[in-house]
Amino acid sequence: MHRVATIAAIVDQHAEDAAFLWLRRRREIDGPILDETDIGRIDQRLEANLEGLMAAGKAGWEAAQARFADYAEPGELFVLGTLAMRWSDAKLVTSAIDAGVSVGEAGFSSLSAAIARTPRYNLRPFVAQWLDTSDARLRCLGLSALWHHRVDPGPRLHDLASHSDANVRRRAVRLAGGLGRRDLLPAVLAGLDGETARERLAAAFAACLLGEARSAHPVIDKIVLTETDQAEAAIEIRLLTTPPKAAKGWLQTRLGQPLLRVAATASIGLFGDPSVMPWLIEKMREPELVFAAGLAMRDLFEVDFNDTDLFTIDPADLGKAFESLNHSPLPVADRVAAWWDEGRGGRGRTPFHSMRRLRLDALRAAIAATDTPLTDWRRTRRFPAWM
C-alpha cells in the first residue's frame, strides 16, 4: 500500500458509494427484479469505486476505516474486507476480520462477499491458513472462499464436514453438495441430524444435490413446520426435488396452514403453471398475501415487469388496508387482471431471465444430474452503467 496525492472528498465518496452499491447488489443478486445485465451495471459502478479506493492507496484504506468507524455496518465492512484482501496484506485482512466481530453474523456475510469479489491469486496466501487454524470462524471464511470460487479441497473436506463446530460442518456439507462429492454422502446424511436447523437444512440441500432427496424430505418437512425463518428456503428445495403431482399436493396442504400461507403462496410459481393466475390475482387483493402473490407471478413468466405498470412501490396505491405494508414492489390486482385477460402472459416480449430464475435453473440442472457440480449462477454482464 502506498501514499499518493488524493482529493479527500473524492476518496470519501468512493468509500460511501462502494458500500451503498454493494448493499443494493446483495439485496438483488438472487432476486426476481434484476437480470444479469442489471446486476452487471451495478457491478461496473461498484468496481469503479473499489478501484478508486485501491488507486488512492493508504488514503483509500483510511477513508474506508473512517467510514466504518462512523457506520459499523455490513456495507462498510465489505469495503474494508475487499481492499485488504485485494492488497493481500495480512495485517489489514486481520484488521477487517476483527472489525467483523462487532457486526455479528451480517459481518461474516460481508467478509464472505469480499472473498467472492477477490481474485483467487490474492486469496491464496490466506485460505490454506484459514482452513488449518483452530479458529472456527476463520475456517468458515476458508470454506466460503472454496464455495465462491468453486474449488475442491480434496481429502481435507472430510475432516471439515465432521468438524466439532456446527457452522464449519454446515459450510463444508454445502460445499460437498455443490461440488458433487458423493464420497462425502455419509457426512452429509449425518448432518440431517445436526445441532441447528440451519445445519440440517444445509445437509438436506446437499443431500438433494447428491441424489438423496428421499432421505432429505422428512427433515425438510419438519423444518417447514417448526422453523418459520427457514420455511421459504425449505419449501423451495422440497418442491424442486418432488415430482410435480406430488409436489402440488404437498404444497396444497401447506397453503391451508396459517403460518405457512405466505411462504407457500410465494412458492407456487415454481410449478410454471400459468393456470394458477386467476387464483393469484385474488390473493393480490389480500394485504397478507399480495407481496407473495407478486413473487409467484414473477416465477411464472419470463417477463421484465419493470417495463410494465403492473407493480407499484407505494402500498397506498392499493388502498387503505395496504398502507402499512413494508414490502415492495407490490402487484396491482386490477392491472394484472387486465394484462392477463388481454395478453395471457405477455406473449411477444423478449424473454427476461431474472437472477432468481438463473439460480433456479442452476439448481434444477444440478438436481437432475447429480454428478454435475452446481454452476455459479451469479454471473453478470458488465455493461457501462449509462448503457
Coordinates of all heavy atoms in Angstrom, one line a residue, residues 290-291 309-333 335:
V290 N -50.4 -10.2 -0.8 CA -50.2 -9.5 -2.1 C -48.7 -9.6 -2.5 O -48.4 -9.8 -3.7 CB -50.6 -8.0 -1.9 CG1 -49.9 -7.3 -0.8 CG2 -50.4 -7.3 -3.3
F291 N -47.8 -9.4 -1.6 CA -46.4 -9.5 -2.0 C -46.0 -10.9 -2.4 O -45.3 -11.1 -3.5 CB -45.5 -9.0 -0.8 CG -44.0 -9.0 -1.2 CD1 -43.5 -8.0 -2.0 CD2 -43.1 -9.9 -0.6 CE1 -42.2 -8.0 -2.4 CE2 -41.8 -9.9 -0.9 CZ -41.3 -8.9 -1.8
D309 N -46.6 -1.5 -15.9 CA -47.2 -0.7 -14.8 C -47.9 -1.7 -13.9 O -48.8 -1.2 -13.1 CB -48.1 0.4 -15.3 CG -49.3 -0.2 -16.0 OD1 -49.4 -1.4 -16.3 OD2 -50.3 0.6 -16.3
L310 N -47.6 -2.9 -13.9 CA -48.3 -3.9 -13.1 C -48.0 -3.9 -11.6 O -48.7 -4.5 -10.8 CB -48.1 -5.3 -13.7 CG -48.5 -5.5 -15.1 CD1 -48.3 -7.0 -15.5 CD2 -49.9 -5.0 -15.4
F311 N -46.8 -3.3 -11.3 CA -46.4 -3.2 -9.9 C -46.3 -1.8 -9.4 O -46.1 -0.9 -10.3 CB -45.0 -3.9 -9.7 CG -45.1 -5.5 -9.8 CD1 -45.3 -6.1 -11.0 CD2 -45.1 -6.2 -8.6 CE1 -45.4 -7.5 -11.0 CE2 -45.1 -7.6 -8.6 CZ -45.3 -8.2 -9.9
T312 N -46.4 -1.6 -8.1 CA -46.2 -0.2 -7.6 C -45.3 -0.3 -6.4 O -45.2 -1.4 -5.7 CB -47.6 0.4 -7.1 OG1 -47.3 1.6 -6.5 CG2 -48.2 -0.5 -6.1
I313 N -44.5 0.7 -6.1 CA -43.7 0.8 -5.0 C -44.3 1.5 -3.8 O -43.8 1.6 -2.7 CB -42.3 1.4 -5.3 CG1 -42.5 2.9 -5.8 CG2 -41.6 0.6 -6.3 CD1 -41.2 3.7 -5.9
D314 N -45.6 2.0 -4.0 CA -46.3 2.7 -3.0 C -47.5 1.9 -2.6 O -48.5 1.8 -3.3 CB -46.8 4.1 -3.5 CG -47.4 4.9 -2.4 OD1 -47.5 4.5 -1.3 OD2 -47.8 6.1 -2.7
P315 N -47.4 1.3 -1.4 CA -48.6 0.5 -0.9 C -49.9 1.2 -0.9 O -50.9 0.6 -1.0 CB -48.1 0.0 0.5 CG -46.6 0.1 0.5 CD -46.3 1.3 -0.4
A316 N -49.8 2.5 -0.7 CA -51.1 3.3 -0.6 C -51.8 3.3 -1.9 O -53.1 3.5 -1.9 CB -50.7 4.7 -0.2
D317 N -51.2 3.0 -3.0 CA -51.9 2.9 -4.3 C -52.9 1.7 -4.3 O -53.8 1.7 -5.1 CB -50.9 2.6 -5.4 CG -50.0 3.8 -5.7 OD1 -50.4 4.9 -5.3 OD2 -49.0 3.7 -6.4
L318 N -52.7 0.8 -3.4 CA -53.6 -0.4 -3.4 C -54.8 -0.2 -2.4 O -55.7 -1.1 -2.4 CB -52.8 -1.6 -3.0 CG -51.5 -2.0 -3.8 CD1 -50.9 -3.2 -3.3 CD2 -51.9 -2.1 -5.3
G319 N -54.8 0.9 -1.7 CA -55.9 1.1 -0.8 C -55.4 1.2 0.7 O -54.3 0.9 1.0
K320 N -56.3 1.7 1.5 CA -56.0 1.9 2.9 C -55.5 0.7 3.6 O -54.6 0.8 4.5 CB -57.2 2.5 3.6 CG -57.0 3.1 5.0 CD -58.2 3.8 5.6 CE -57.9 4.4 6.9 NZ -56.8 5.4 6.9
A321 N -56.1 -0.5 3.3 CA -55.7 -1.7 4.0 C -54.3 -2.1 3.8 O -53.7 -2.9 4.5 CB -56.7 -2.8 3.6
F322 N -53.7 -1.6 2.7 CA -52.3 -2.0 2.3 C -51.3 -0.9 2.8 O -50.1 -1.2 2.6 CB -52.2 -2.1 0.8 CG -53.1 -3.2 0.2 CD1 -54.5 -3.0 0.0 CD2 -52.6 -4.4 -0.1 CE1 -55.3 -4.0 -0.5 CE2 -53.4 -5.4 -0.6 CZ -54.7 -5.2 -0.8
E323 N -51.7 0.2 3.3 CA -50.8 1.3 3.6 C -49.6 1.0 4.5 O -48.5 1.5 4.4 CB -51.5 2.5 4.1 CG -52.4 3.2 3.1 CD -53.2 4.4 3.7 OE1 -53.1 4.5 4.9 OE2 -53.8 5.1 3.0
S324 N -49.8 0.0 5.4 CA -48.8 -0.3 6.4 C -47.8 -1.3 6.0 O -46.9 -1.6 6.7 CB -49.5 -0.8 7.7 OG -50.2 -2.0 7.4
L325 N -48.0 -1.8 4.7 CA -47.0 -2.8 4.3 C -45.7 -2.3 4.0 O -45.5 -1.1 3.5 CB -47.6 -3.5 3.0 CG -48.9 -4.2 3.1 CD1 -49.3 -4.8 1.8 CD2 -48.8 -5.3 4.2
N326 N -44.6 -3.0 4.3 CA -43.2 -2.6 4.1 C -42.6 -3.1 2.8 O -41.6 -2.6 2.4 CB -42.4 -3.0 5.3 CG -42.9 -2.3 6.6 OD1 -43.2 -1.1 6.6 ND2 -42.9 -3.0 7.7
H327 N -43.1 -4.2 2.3 CA -42.5 -4.9 1.1 C -42.9 -4.1 -0.1 O -44.1 -3.6 -0.2 CB -42.9 -6.3 1.1 CG -42.4 -7.2 2.2 ND1 -41.1 -7.4 2.4 CD2 -43.1 -7.9 3.1 CE1 -40.9 -8.2 3.5 NE2 -42.1 -8.5 3.9
S328 N -42.1 -4.1 -1.1 CA -42.4 -3.6 -2.4 C -41.3 -4.1 -3.4 O -40.3 -4.6 -3.0 CB -42.4 -2.1 -2.4 OG -41.1 -1.6 -2.3
P329 N -41.7 -4.1 -4.7 CA -42.9 -3.6 -5.3 C -44.0 -4.6 -5.1 O -43.8 -5.8 -4.9 CB -42.5 -3.4 -6.8 CG -41.4 -4.4 -7.0 CD -40.7 -4.5 -5.7
L330 N -45.3 -4.1 -5.2 CA -46.5 -4.9 -5.0 C -47.3 -4.9 -6.3 O -47.4 -3.9 -7.0 CB -47.3 -4.3 -3.9 CG -46.7 -4.2 -2.5 CD1 -47.6 -3.4 -1.5 CD2 -46.4 -5.6 -1.9
P331 N -47.9 -6.0 -6.6 CA -48.7 -6.1 -7.8 C -50.0 -5.4 -7.6 O -50.6 -5.4 -6.5 CB -48.9 -7.6 -8.0 CG -48.8 -8.2 -6.6 CD -47.8 -7.3 -5.9
V332 N -50.5 -4.7 -8.6 CA -51.8 -4.1 -8.6 C -52.8 -5.0 -9.3 O -52.8 -5.2 -10.5 CB -51.8 -2.7 -9.4 CG1 -53.1 -2.0 -9.3 CG2 -50.6 -1.8 -8.8
A333 N -53.7 -5.6 -8.5 CA -54.5 -6.7 -8.9 C -55.3 -6.4 -10.2 O -55.4 -7.2 -11.1 CB -55.5 -7.1 -7.8
R335 N -54.8 -4.2 -12.6 CA -53.9 -4.1 -13.7 C -53.4 -5.5 -14.2 O -53.4 -5.7 -15.4 CB -52.7 -3.2 -13.4 CG -53.1 -1.7 -13.1 CD -51.8 -0.9 -12.8 NE -52.2 0.4 -12.3 CZ -51.3 1.2 -11.7 NH1 -50.0 0.8 -11.6 NH2 -51.6 2.4 -11.3

